[in-house]
Amino acid sequence: MKKFLMISLTMSLLCIGVAKAQVTGTTNVHVKLVDVLALSVNNSDVNINFNNAADYQNGVSVPMAGHLTVTSNQPYTLNIKAAGNLAGTGANTDVLDPSILTIALPTTGNNTALGATPTTVGGLATTNAALITNASPGLLKLVDVNYSVPSSISTTSAILGKKADTYTTTVTYTITQ
């Protein structure tokens, strides 16, 4: 019996010793980040229509909710420019200077989470102008844009005296990190 107790005790101690034994291994985990930058314009056409005398007197503003979608993992700048004059169609040789256009990012709606104060580009040009600088990073951020011809322009020869027609230019948005 004594021998049995000794063997049992020895076995118990061995089992306890084995239970406490440990083997470990390690690994390195690598998280690789790359810069992502994407921009899409969600409406290919913006129509600023002067349909009556009140439009010429008061100007016309066209709000475009969710007009742009921006993705950037870094702070970014959003610029805008026009390709050139707004040209009429067919034999119409009249043109409208792009400076008649005011482009603004409102501080409401989708733009409340931009992380920086947007500016208004009054008098669009053929060179880049910043709409927002140092905006917060984000994924698939919708951006609201307002296009307008203000009354300070619509009541002048910049608009008055031009032939009835649809005048068109291409507007380009560019984002950079």
Side-chain angles (χ1 to χ4, degrees):
M1 179 84 163
K2 208 175 190 188
K3 199 173 186 179
F4 176 72
L5 285 174
M6 271 309 258
I7 292 173
S8 293
L9 182 61
T10 304
M11 290 299 283
S12 295
L13 290 175
L14 283 175
C15 287
I16 290 171
V18 170
K20 289 188 176 181
Q22 235 181 43
V23 177
T24 62
T26 62
T27 187
N28 294 318
V29 176
H30 305 277
V31 177
K32 180 180 179 181
L33 301 177
V34 296
D35 286 335
V36 293
L37 188 63
L39 169 70
S40 61
V41 179
N42 300 319
N43 312 88
S44 60
D45 291 301
V46 176
N47 295 297
I48 303 172
N49 298 319
F50 285 82
N51 295 318
N52 53 51
D55 291 340
Y56 285 91
Q57 291 170 328
N58 302 318
V60 176
S61 182
V62 178
M64 302 292 288
H67 186 54
L68 306 174
T69 302
V70 175
T71 293
S72 180
N73 69 311
Q74 299 290 330
Y76 64 92
T77 296
L78 176 65
N79 292 302
I80 188 170
K81 69 179 179 178
N85 288 330
L86 289 92
T89 59
N92 181 4
T93 58
D94 285 347
V95 295
L96 305 177
D97 192 278
S99 64
I100 67 164
L101 297 171
T102 296
I103 313 299
L105 302 183
T107 56
T108 58
N110 288 314
N111 297 355
T112 58
L114 291 176
T117 303
T119 58
T120 296
V121 175
L124 191 59
T126 56
T127 56
N128 275 331
L131 282 168
I132 193 163
T133 303
N134 204 30
S136 296
L139 302 174
L140 301 172
K141 283 170 104 171
L142 292 176
V143 178
D144 300 340
V145 180
N146 286 345
Y147 293 83
S148 65
V149 176
S151 62
S152 60
I153 300 292
S154 64
T155 57
T156 71
S157 62
I159 298 285
L160 298 176
K162 303 294 183 183
K163 292 182 180 92
D165 200 349
T166 300
Y167 295 83
T168 304
T169 192
T170 300
V171 172
T172 301
Y173 289 92
T174 305
I175 59 172
T176 55
Q177 291 179 333

